[in-house]
Amino acid sequence: MPDSYCHTVVVISGSGSNLQALIDASVASNFKISRVVSNNPDAFGLERAARDNIPTSMVNHRDYENREEFDLALQKAIDESQPDLVVLAGFMRILGQQFVKAYAGRIINIHPSLLPKYPGINTHQRALDAKDKEHGVSVHFVTEELDGGPVIAQDRVPVLKEDTAESLAERVLEKEHLLYPKVVSWFAAGRLGLAGNQAFLDGEPLPPGGIQVHP
Ligand code: GAR
């Protein structure tokens, strides 16, 4: 029987709540999670994977002398499953050029801000400090520029007067859990593409902020 699922490797560093959303969605979707790879032995996401009998690999960055060696080990772990798609879900390491090139057009990331605003860390506090009226999440193709690859889709939340970085993160995370499985299923259906630095959905070039899923 032909296997038409999009085989996906999810790479994590921590809690793995986005991984959980992907696992839950995959039950009735066009993608399957073949492996979960973590750079952090204490990542709770590893337990989430084990609960669902998904193979896991640990590639602890502390065991490697430099980024190149770590990246190569990570690549080896990912390639064990020969995935169609690599999904970074709360992965908190910076990846080198060679690594990113190896998966060009088939590696995506979720980032908790409305890119190009706030690449890097502490995005929720930065949105509060800037007194932004809205904040949100972006899913983007991974390129050599940190959090700088073409955006595929975004969803947003209002910033409330009483918000703290924690309350804002919580509301953004709810949006993440809806957005990521949706984008992965677009990829799995062959609807998404990348040419150079331009993302496409159904053959149409996406605008700089990608698809806005919020009404
Ligand atoms: C998520 O908010 C994700 O967008 C963010 O880390 C959190 C991981 O949560 N990722 C980044 O900041 C990547 N630069 P999770 O482990 O519960 O999915």
Side-chain angles (χ1 to χ4, degrees):
M1 199 173 73
D3 177 357
S4 57
Y5 289 112
C6 174
H7 292 276
T8 304
V9 167
V10 182
V11 187
I12 62 165
S13 296
S15 153
S17 69
N18 276 292
L19 165 67
Q20 189 65 56
L22 290 164
I23 292 173
D24 294 346
S26 70
V27 173
S29 195
N30 49 3
F31 63 92
K32 286 274 170 270
I33 300 173
S34 320
R35 177 172 302 273
V36 171
V37 183
S38 174
N39 69 303
N40 169 12
D42 300 323
F44 182 62
L46 289 169
E47 279 178 47
R48 298 183 192 267
R51 257 192 237 153
D52 264 71
N53 297 317
I54 298 170
T56 59
S57 304
M58 246 300 304
V59 185
N60 190 339
H61 58 278
R62 294 177 201 279
D63 294 343
Y64 299 88
E65 297 233 315
N66 53 44
R67 185 184 298 162
E68 288 70 32
E69 283 183 24
F70 168 69
D71 282 4
L72 275 177
L74 192 63
Q75 203 174 328
K76 202 166 158 219
I78 291 170
D79 290 348
E80 257 180 75
S81 293
Q82 299 200 300
D84 303 303
L85 175 65
V86 178
V87 170
L88 308 182
F91 179 65
M92 302 307 280
R93 306 295 300 175
I94 293 175
L95 293 164
Q97 242 179 42
Q98 295 295 56
F99 180 95
V100 170
K101 263 200 193 131
Y103 302 105
R106 54 190 186 100
I107 179 166
I108 60 177
N109 181 44
I110 191 158
H111 184 75
S113 79
L114 294 171
L115 290 170
K117 275 189 166 180
Y118 317 132
I121 59 173
N122 297 330
T123 59
H124 308 297
Q125 190 58 52
R126 285 155 77 195
L128 288 175
D129 291 347
K131 302 199 176 352
D132 287 351
K133 292 204 162 43
E134 46 177 24
H135 183 47
V137 51
S138 306
V139 175
H140 64 95
F141 278 110
V142 175
T143 61
E144 286 156 33
E145 194 188 336
L146 175 69
D147 298 328
V151 176
I152 298 164
Q154 292 183 326
D155 199 356
R156 49 194 73 220
V157 299
V159 178
L160 308 177
K161 265 208 310 278
E162 61 275 22
D163 262 328
T164 60
E166 290 71 30
S167 64
L168 196 49
E170 225 169 87
R171 287 209 314 289
V172 170
L173 206 50
E174 281 173 24
K175 297 291 189 186
E176 295 187 34
H177 298 162
L178 298 174
L179 186 63
Y180 221 3
K182 191 179 295 200
V183 172
V184 171
S185 75
W186 292 347
F187 185 95
R191 298 178 60 193
L192 272 178
L194 177 72
N197 220 35
Q198 175 66 58
F200 293 83
L201 179 66
D202 297 331
E204 296 292 327
L206 287 172
I211 299 285
Q212 303 297 312
V213 304
H214 195 65

